[in-house]
Amino acid sequence: MAKPGIALPSVFSATGLKPLAELVAAAEAGGEGLLDCSLFGGFSYADTPDTGMTALAITDGNVDDANQWAEGMAKRCWELRDRLFQRELLHDVQGGVDRALEAAASAKKPVCILEHADRLNDSTYVLKDLIARGVKRAYAPFMFDPEVASAAVAAGEGAILKMPLFGKSSPKAGGAITAEARVLQARHLKFPITGPLKTGMVIDVGASALLEIGGVLVSVISVQWSAIDMDCFTEFGLKPDDFDIILLRSKTHFRELYEPLCAEIVIIDTPDWGPAELSTLPYEYLPTGVYPVSG
């Protein structure tokens, strides 16, 4: 086992992105005398001494071959460290929404805005901007706010909610929205997952509602579940083609479904708990020399 000393943000750990795709292909190809080898992207939002990428090789007693492959892979990762961090893909809120609206104006499919730093599905940075601009035909699926969801179910369809909306999980979540929300649908929601992850598993997301806030539709649920499949549309009688903008909060799991579904993916980096800029997080146990936090 060898560690290159790189903490890779989740948004850059999609194995279809180059050059990571090439490194993963090299791991899949293996090497002479190796029983198995893997390259792990790691989970960079864990504050531990072991956090970071890892190259692993397995042999039947041939330690030198295993070490040679693992150390060689770690060296390749380190040499590509700047390219692994594809900062050119990142936008701030204003620039990202500008880009998404520009692309949507001529696109024949929806444009995905990825607010990837939101780890609790309640961040309000982009949603506030869309509402303030008066954007229509936009959808923010499966936002987490049990208080709002329960209030919507209690009030019923057609009601107007006047209460703080979302952004409550932490001071990093962007702060609550104060706009009025009209309840379009409200009920207890339980369904079998149809997407590529945990297919067929029945998930109960509790009190749920479809809200209209300005011109934006928002579905709100009471149990954490990311919108990575079609259920966030079909359970409310919606279709992706109903919208020009889809606001997602996944990191990589969304890609299998949404890459072919959307005309473009616009990644917006916000100061929530899962940012691309890892140096903004208060690590205590990460070893020294780990790029880009301390290396």
Side-chain angles (χ1 to χ4, degrees):
M1 183 177 72
K3 297 183 72 64
I6 299 172
L8 189 64
S10 294
V11 73
F12 297 144
S13 67
T15 52
L17 294 176
K18 293 182 179 180
L20 183 59
E22 297 161 355
L23 295 170
V24 171
E28 290 177 341
E32 186 176 353
L34 300 182
L35 298 179
D36 193 20
C37 49
S38 298
L39 177 65
F40 297 99
F43 183 70
S44 295
Y45 307 107
D47 185 12
T48 79
D50 297 316
T51 297
M53 298 180 72
T54 303
L56 178 69
I58 299 172
T59 65
D60 187 4
N62 194 335
V63 177
D64 290 341
D65 284 351
N67 285 337
Q68 182 177 357
W69 185 92
E71 290 166 5
M73 175 59 74
K75 183 173 184 284
R76 288 181 64 184
C77 291
W78 180 255
E79 292 169 347
L80 293 170
R81 62 192 180 282
D82 288 326
R83 289 180 56 201
L84 288 169
F85 286 75
Q86 301 186 45
R87 294 182 174 89
E88 69 277 6
L89 299 178
L90 302 176
H91 302 267
D92 62 14
V93 173
Q94 181 177 348
V97 174
D98 285 346
R99 172 60 200 160
L101 294 177
E102 178 186 0
S106 58
K108 295 182 180 180
K109 299 190 290 185
V111 173
C112 169
I113 296 178
L114 187 69
E115 192 171 351
H116 76 98
D118 180 5
R119 301 212 67 88
L120 288 174
N121 293 321
D122 79 328
S123 184
T124 57
Y125 296 99
V126 177
L127 183 55
K128 281 182 178 178
D129 194 75
L130 294 174
I131 294 169
R133 294 182 191 225
V135 173
K136 309 294 183 184
R137 289 177 54 83
Y139 180 40
F142 281 2
M143 292 196 68
F144 174 68
D145 193 326
E147 181 184 20
V148 169
S150 296
V153 171
E157 296 179 5
I160 302 295
L161 298 183
K162 299 179 181 180
M163 61 186 301
L165 306 167
F166 320 118
K168 305 167 188 173
S169 62
S170 84
K172 286 180 172 284
I177 294 172
T178 56
E180 293 183 349
R182 183 161 66 97
V183 181
L184 302 181
Q185 301 179 34
R187 65 189 187 280
H188 191 105
L189 186 58
K190 182 178 180 180
F191 57 90
I193 296 167
T194 63
L197 181 66
K198 299 186 178 181
T199 308
M201 186 185 84
V202 175
I203 185 167
D204 187 338
V205 293
S208 305
L210 182 66
L211 308 177
E212 183 179 28
I213 310 173
V216 180
L217 293 191
V218 180
S219 55
V220 55
I221 56 180
S222 297
V223 175
Q224 286 280 355
W225 183 250
S226 296
I228 56 176
D229 46 42
M230 288 293 292
D231 299 323
C232 60
F233 292 94
T234 57
E235 290 299 321
F236 295 100
L238 305 173
K239 304 187 300 296
D241 289 345
D242 295 335
F243 303 99
D244 298 325
I245 301 291
I246 301 172
L247 174 57
L248 296 181
R249 297 157 193 286
S250 176
K251 315 302 175 292
T252 58
H253 293 97
F254 78 101
R255 288 183 178 274
E256 183 169 352
L257 181 67
Y258 283 91
E259 278 188 338
L261 184 69
C262 294
E264 185 173 337
I265 295 168
V266 179
I267 303 174
I268 290 181
D269 202 29
T270 63
D272 214 324
W273 282 108
E277 293 299 335
L278 299 176
S279 59
T280 64
L281 296 177
Y283 288 102
E284 296 181 30
Y285 304 106
L286 199 67
T288 58
V290 174
Y291 179 87
V293 181
S294 58

